[in-house]
Amino acid sequence: MSFAHVIGQEAVKAQARAWLAADRLPHAILICGPEGTGKRRLALELAKAICCRAGAVEACDACSSCRRIEQLSHPDVHALVPLAPRRGRKDKAREESPPEEDRIAALEFLAGGASASPGGANISVESLRQLQASMGYAPGESSRRVGLVFGAECMQPAGANALLKSLEEPSRRAIFVLVSAAPERLLPTVLSRCQRLACRRLRPEEVRDHLRSQGMEGDRLELAVRLGAGSLDRASRAVSGELDPVRLQVERFLQAAVAGETQEYWEVIEELSARGEKNAVPLFLELLGVHLRDLFLLDQGREEEIALVDRLVALKGLATTLGPARLERAALEVDRAGEYLGRHVHPNLVLVDLWRALGGRPGPAPTG
């Protein structure tokens, strides 16, 4: 059954089933919650259930409608995802009929989790206006048209205002489903017109059972569950080893601050800048927060609760050197850092404050 593809989230799935069974779907739905909790899959399954030819509460996964929605090729289902801005002259034909590469980019976005959105990605005004126009037509094969807006917090303000008209004057034949990990960044007028389905962080046993179903066992499984912190996306990245280089960067940053090794500080900064990804510094800060939490736990004698079970020896050395006062200062700076990045403060300035909270002195950048 359709919603079985969504891990956990029983309360949210029950609400969606109730709407479908009573044929009382809201005209605008916001699926929100932390990254890696199944929001994108839930939105896709909801679209399949709305358009399914079998006529049941949940999608059959077998009819042509379900199969085409899975590939984002159904004529009554329109999906937008954040894309890197297009440069050069606008191609009118491309605006009127999105090319195959956009569909492929959307599928990659849906499969790629938080790491799939390129730096500077947004949902353009033109794309939102095109969606609004498409949703005004009568459905071709289904009882309703469905507009899926993934990464809705990336809508440009002008585009969000364009979409607002459709949300204020809804058509009975159109349902908009917005998906966002940062609903606080949406316009209040958009939020007020949406019914929410709020996904929670997954429980450790839900992540563990899913990873086991994928063949994962042993120490790496437990590391992934703990490091995932309720996000299947992050747990999967931990399984693949994708997070290992960033974890080592964080450890080097901490050790260099304790030792006052300015050169190491600048090397980490340069490596983060060289990655050129919009999520590079946020991910670094996220994992720095995990390290600091583990150091607090070790200081309190709660070794069995730490996430980074494979780095216990290194963590013990850092915990002894840093002490609770510096850890507390650094933890406060990590919290502030997220706020500063949201206000577009340069990442290097954010990391300078963290370095100082840990006791380091950045000094001048190396030359040559």
Side-chain angles (χ1 to χ4, degrees):
M1 295 294 281
S2 171
F3 289 126
H5 297 313
V6 180
I7 299 167
Q9 311 301 348
E10 296 307 324
V12 167
K13 290 190 287 190
Q15 179 62 73
R17 289 190 188 103
W19 284 340
L20 289 160
D23 194 23
R24 294 179 64 88
L25 280 160
H27 71 277
I29 299 168
L30 171 62
I31 301 177
C32 56
E35 290 286 4
T37 52
K39 301 183 300 300
R40 299 175 186 180
R41 173 48 59 178
L42 177 63
L44 204 61
E45 297 301 336
L46 185 57
K48 286 161 62 178
I50 291 168
C51 299
C52 181
R53 293 176 177 271
V57 170
E58 296 195 29
C60 69
D61 278 339
C63 69
S64 61
S65 178
C66 287
R67 293 197 302 271
R68 282 186 292 169
I69 291 173
E70 191 71 37
Q71 294 302 313
L72 299 180
S73 60
H74 193 288
D76 293 332
V77 177
H78 311 271
L80 296 181
V81 302
L83 297 172
R86 293 185 178 123
R87 291 179 168 80
R89 291 189 306 168
K90 293 179 181 177
D91 185 337
K92 186 173 179 57
R94 191 172 185 183
E95 287 177 14
E96 292 175 351
S97 178
E100 177 67 8
E101 53 260 35
D102 281 1
R103 186 184 72 87
I104 294 172
L107 289 172
E108 290 174 350
F109 178 88
L110 294 179
S115 60
S117 182
N122 62 62
I123 299 175
S124 69
V125 177
E126 291 80 10
S127 296
L128 286 160
R129 286 176 178 159
Q130 183 182 5
L131 173 66
Q132 185 182 28
S134 299
M135 295 290 283
Y137 296 123
E141 299 183 12
S142 309
S143 61
R144 296 180 179 91
R145 284 185 178 270
V146 182
L148 302 172
V149 183
F150 296 97
E153 70 276 6
C154 295
M155 290 189 293
Q156 294 181 354
N161 279 313
L163 181 65
L164 185 59
K165 182 173 175 58
S166 294
L167 302 184
E168 289 174 332
E169 302 172 6
S171 165
R172 290 183 301 170
R173 303 172 301 182
I175 294 174
F176 289 89
V177 181
L178 279 59
V179 182
S180 177
E184 69 280 0
R185 289 166 53 189
L186 293 171
L187 293 178
T189 45
V190 170
L191 286 175
S192 67
R193 286 159 177 80
C194 296
Q195 293 286 328
R196 293 198 188 199
L197 291 176
C199 294
R200 56 164 175 78
R201 290 192 179 277
L202 299 176
R203 292 191 292 270
E205 58 269 24
E206 291 171 337
V207 176
R208 187 177 290 108
D209 288 347
H210 176 75
L211 293 178
R212 278 181 176 155
S213 74
Q214 304 298 307
M216 175 58 57
E217 292 290 349
D219 294 342
R220 194 75 184 184
L221 169 64
E222 193 56 33
L223 172 66
V225 171
R226 297 190 184 200
L227 196 54
S231 166
L232 188 59
D233 174 57
R234 197 164 84 176
S236 298
R237 295 168 73 189
V239 165
S240 69
E242 183 182 341
L243 299 182
D244 289 352
V246 187
R247 292 169 56 206
L248 291 176
Q249 276 183 329
V250 170
E251 197 171 299
R252 285 166 49 206
F253 185 86
L254 288 167
Q255 290 171 340
V258 169
E261 296 174 357
T262 301
Q263 179 65 31
E264 188 73 12
Y265 165 84
W266 286 110
E267 286 180 8
V268 171
I269 297 298
E270 186 176 344
E271 289 167 12
L272 287 171
S273 299
R275 288 179 63 184
E277 302 169 11
K278 76 166 187 176
N279 292 322
V281 175
L283 178 60
F284 179 88
L285 292 173
E286 199 175 336
L287 293 180
L288 178 56
V290 174
H291 278 75
L292 294 175
R293 177 185 177 275
D294 280 0
L295 291 170
F296 272 118
L297 290 172
L298 287 175
D299 185 68
Q300 296 169 17
R302 296 159 60 187
E303 178 181 319
E304 70 282 357
E305 298 179 39
I306 70 169
L308 302 167
V309 289
D310 61 335
R311 303 299 300 165
L312 179 59
V313 174
L315 286 170
K316 282 184 174 179
L318 283 168
T320 302
T321 309
L322 281 169
R326 272 201 281 180
L327 286 174
E328 185 173 355
R329 286 198 302 272
L332 289 172
E333 285 300 332
V334 169
D335 289 340
R336 292 193 189 102
E339 298 176 13
Y340 293 154
L341 289 177
R343 298 174 195 163
H344 306 292
V345 175
H346 196 284
N348 287 10
L349 297 177
V350 171
L351 294 174
V352 163
D353 288 341
L354 276 170
W355 178 267
R356 287 173 176 156
L358 291 162
R361 296 179 179 275
T367 58

